[in-house]
Amino acid sequence: MHHRAPAPSRRTLLTVTAAAAAAAVTGVSTPAHAEKVRPDDRKLRRIIDRMSLEEKVGQLFVMRVYGHSATAPDQADIDANLQEIGVRTAAELVERYHVGGVIYFTWAHNTRDPQQIAELSNGIQQAALAQPTPIPALISTDQEHGIVCRVGEPATLLPGAMALGAGGSHADARKAAQIAGEELAAVGIRQNYAPVADVNVNPANPVIGVRSFGSDPAAVAGMVAAQVKGYQRAGVAATSKHFPGHGDTAVDSHYGLPTITHTREQWAALDAPPFRAAIDAGIDSIMTAHLVVPALDPSEDPATLSRPILTGILREQLGYDGVVVTDSLGMEGVRTKYGDERVPVLALKAGVDQLLNPPKLDVAWNAVLKAVGDGELTEARLDESILRILRLKAKLGLFRNAYATRAGVERVVGTAAHLAHADRIAEATTTLLVNDDGFLPVGPATHGPVLVVGADPASPSGTTGPPTTTLATALTELGFTATALSTGITPTAAKIDEAVAAAAGKRLVVVGTYNVTASSPQRTLVARLVATGVPVVTVAIRNPYDVARISGQRATLAAYSWTDVELRAAVRVLAGRARPRGRLPVPVQSAEDPAKVLYPVGYGLSYGR
């Protein structure tokens, strides 16, 4: 049966006292503009003095590029580079535009395997250090883990943010980040766009969701600080995102411009604490959000382009003097109000240091160059950002040694110790939400053949198996006889009939659910399978909110992602090889009445000792 417990509604979560708001805003450190004198600044300023204006402009950009090699990509990637950037290769990108950084994507074919990634990184560094003013590149990626992951197996894949939030262990969060950081550094990636610092108070959030550690600002802040320390202990610049907070939106900023309606007091109590914790932990970089917060800037410019938000609040009020990087400038949220040639100029005027992935690099690069020529931007303003970028590169040791090594990759990436840590951490995150009459755990000796059906979204990293196959394989390895049938995120009537027919004679059906909505045919799939009389266990492979829209199942587990490490952990819990120890880091509200909370923060069933 579904357990109901009183808990605050979303409206209550957004209601804060003036005293709480004041406490969240006061006690800030010295404004960043009271610039600190640092030992290496004299050397770094000498480098800046040698740079041409074109090199200075280039140093501000972090750009995508297609291909597995810096000098010899596949022909299709050469064609894509010529069409989108006007260069053939990563090396030509660095040579022509003097970019200060490169971002890796799976879809850009940058991350085939660890040794290839290391060779690509070395090729980019070789091109950067061959420039008239040799400056190492800062190579970055989005390796949040969970549902956002660019470097896949054989690298270690770890639980994502909400799973770690369910585990509740700062030590595990720190260890996961340290493992991830060590493996990224080994392949030459020294800036990671993680951890997510957004507080997910809106279940309808289409872009954050399980990428957040949870809905409680203090809990999220603790996890963010732990991960910052883990990444940076491993020699990788952590990046908390998306400032000033993307947790309460129903619009995806990739495709539109969201508006956050929090008052300034609500923002201070709900959204600010994780960013403050990141700054206190020594965060190296912070990423901006393409969203409007009228209470923080009445001009309704997106935060990425807002001087009141980035300079007034982030730099002066919160005292942050590290690198500020935009979210991708190709996203619709930052392009709706101004043209692509104005966005990078306005971002720099707002207080940004790194301009990430503009849709047309030549347009953005020339716009900044022109703004300096016209006097809209001063060269001194560019120097201010370049100094921050070079400070970070110096801190990471890139001026001493920018290169990855084959031996380092073999020694660090995907080791047995790292994989064992990943499994251990994942086991502590699986959350048991429903267990009718103690149905779980089940054992292979008493429960016969198993059918696994459900959604099979694409792998976040492009390397792990479809979820239904992963679940079936994990069950088989534990002694079950399991078969997999993919029914999809939107199963057709024919697929549902096929699943019902396949359930005949089975002792158990496991259904992987994926963001079930009111109109989702996944609800019909579960209902039809329940009607067969075969016991049904559902595993939410993304948002844990699915349990509010399905009924009749004997048990429900929340895995928070469909990567192998989290699904294998869920199977071990299902089979009694591990105890369910995860606790919800977000409330699950009634689908019919959002004021009612079915499962509050901290809820989770268990069994065994």
Side-chain angles (χ1 to χ4, degrees):
M1 61 182 291
H2 288 188
H3 298 262
R4 297 177 182 267
S9 67
R10 180 167 170 264
R11 180 182 298 276
T12 304
L13 288 170
L14 291 177
T15 303
V16 298
T17 65
V25 175
T26 57
V28 299
S29 55
T30 304
H33 288 194
E35 190 171 338
K36 304 166 187 173
V37 177
R38 306 188 186 189
D40 290 337
D41 279 4
R42 187 171 298 177
K43 295 178 182 177
L44 299 177
R45 290 184 190 280
R46 285 201 295 266
I47 294 173
I48 294 171
D49 289 343
R50 295 198 301 269
M51 297 171 70
S52 67
L53 178 58
E54 289 77 10
E55 287 177 309
K56 288 181 178 182
V57 171
Q59 191 65 208
L60 304 173
F61 284 93
V62 180
M63 189 61 185
R64 71 190 180 278
V65 65
Y66 290 87
H68 69 286
S69 164
T71 56
D74 295 339
Q75 186 60 49
D77 292 324
I78 292 174
D79 294 343
N81 285 330
L82 287 170
Q83 180 177 355
E84 294 187 19
I85 313 173
V87 299
R88 294 167 52 85
T89 67
E92 288 184 14
L93 167 68
V94 175
E95 181 181 2
R96 178 177 298 185
Y97 289 103
H98 317 293
V99 294
V102 174
I103 179 173
Y104 288 170
F105 292 104
T106 307
W107 51 260
H109 312 135
N110 304 140
T111 58
R112 289 182 178 177
D113 63 73
Q115 292 291 358
Q116 167 268 315
I117 299 170
E119 291 173 8
L120 173 60
S121 299
N122 287 346
I124 290 169
Q125 296 295 5
Q126 187 173 4
L129 294 172
Q131 293 299 294
T133 308
I135 299 172
L138 185 53
I139 297 170
S140 60
T141 198
D142 292 281
Q143 189 80 348
E144 297 173 16
H145 287 274
I147 70 167
V148 176
C149 209
R150 311 302 189 203
V151 180
E153 294 176 343
T156 305
L157 299 182
L158 293 135
M162 192 170 285
L164 292 171
S169 168
H170 291 176
D172 283 352
R174 184 169 54 250
K175 184 65 176 179
Q178 185 172 344
I179 290 170
E182 289 172 356
E183 298 198 5
L184 289 173
V187 300
I189 298 172
R190 303 300 296 277
Q191 184 179 26
N192 189 22
Y193 299 135
V196 170
D198 304 315
V199 181
N200 200 75
V201 296
N202 188 344
N205 195 320
V207 65
I208 304 300
V210 294
R211 298 168 63 195
S212 164
F213 290 103
S215 63
D216 178 75
V220 173
M223 288 290 176
V224 166
Q227 289 231 297
V228 168
K229 292 172 184 175
Y231 281 119
Q232 295 185 181
R233 184 178 297 170
V236 167
T239 308
S240 59
K241 60 186 183 184
H242 308 78
F243 189 83
H246 213 311
D248 188 15
T249 173
V251 175
D252 185 341
S253 54
H254 290 84
Y255 308 109
L257 179 59
T259 296
I260 303 293
T261 58
H262 293 181
T263 66
R264 195 176 187 94
E265 291 76 20
Q266 289 169 339
W267 172 82
L270 283 170
D271 302 294
F275 292 100
R276 181 184 302 284
I279 293 168
D280 290 345
I283 186 80
D284 283 330
S285 53
I286 290 177
M287 179 179 284
T288 68
H290 305 326
L291 47 77
V292 169
V293 189
L296 303 185
D297 181 357
S299 76
E300 300 197 0
D301 280 344
T304 296
L305 310 181
S306 169
R307 186 170 179 82
I309 292 175
L310 298 188
T311 296
I313 295 176
L314 180 57
R315 294 232 186 262
E316 295 175 351
Q317 191 177 73
L318 298 184
Y320 179 65
D321 194 31
V323 170
V324 174
V325 56
T326 71
D327 205 343
S328 171
L329 297 182
M331 293 167 59
E332 195 60 29
V334 79
R335 303 173 73 191
T336 56
K337 192 171 180 180
Y338 300 101
D340 289 339
E341 74 284 354
R342 293 298 298 155
V343 165
V345 175
L346 294 174
L348 290 169
K349 293 175 74 172
V352 158
D353 301 307
Q354 289 184 308
L355 302 162
L356 177 63
N357 199 28
K360 293 292 183 182
L361 179 57
D362 60 337
V363 171
W365 191 87
N366 282 303
V368 175
L369 196 66
K370 181 176 185 297
V372 176
D374 292 346
E376 185 178 7
L377 288 170
T378 66
E379 199 163 342
R381 169 65 191 89
L382 303 193
D383 292 353
E384 180 185 328
S385 285
I386 294 166
L387 179 59
R388 291 194 188 98
I389 294 166
L390 296 190
R391 280 174 179 164
L392 179 52
K393 292 181 178 184
K395 177 185 174 182
L396 296 171
L398 290 171
F399 285 98
R400 294 192 304 272
N401 181 12
Y403 294 105
T405 66
R406 178 169 289 273
V409 173
E410 292 175 354
R411 185 176 63 252
V412 173
V413 179
T415 65
H418 284 181
L419 295 172
H421 278 300
D423 282 336
R424 177 190 61 77
I425 292 169
E427 278 188 359
T429 69
T430 304
T431 307
L432 179 60
L433 298 176
V434 175
N435 195 20
D436 191 24
D437 294 329
F439 184 75
L440 296 185
V442 297
T446 57
H447 284 78
V450 177
L451 173 67
V452 179
V453 303
D456 274 337
S459 165
S461 61
T463 59
T464 57
T468 53
T469 300
T470 299
L471 290 166
T473 300
L475 285 162
T476 300
E477 289 173 351
L478 294 183
F480 293 80
T481 302
T483 56
L485 172 63
S486 176
T487 49
I489 295 172
T490 54
T492 62
K495 270 294 178 186
I496 292 172
D497 288 342
E498 185 181 356
V500 169
K506 301 298 189 295
R507 185 61 185 84
L508 175 68
V509 178
V510 177
V511 183
T513 65
Y514 181 97
N515 292 4
V516 179
T517 63
S519 60
S520 172
Q522 293 179 70
R523 300 180 72 188
T524 304
L525 171 68
V526 173
R528 290 280 306 280
L529 289 169
V530 167
T532 66
V534 177
V536 172
V537 173
T538 61
V539 180
I541 65 172
R542 187 166 176 169
N543 290 336
Y545 311 116
D546 292 359
V547 68
R549 295 197 181 275
I550 54 179
S551 60
Q553 70 275 24
R554 299 296 300 276
T556 291
L557 294 165
Y560 305 101
S561 177
W562 60 96
T563 53
D564 289 8
V565 66
E566 285 158 300
L567 295 182
R568 290 195 307 266
V571 167
R572 290 196 296 277
V573 168
L574 181 153
R577 302 298 181 90
R579 292 187 299 108
R581 289 181 282 153
R583 297 292 181 266
L584 278 175
V586 293
V588 176
Q589 297 156 324
S590 166
E592 290 75 27
D593 181 4
K596 289 185 178 180
V597 174
L598 301 177
Y599 307 96
V601 171
Y603 182 89
L605 302 174
S606 191
Y607 48 73
R609 294 183 178 180

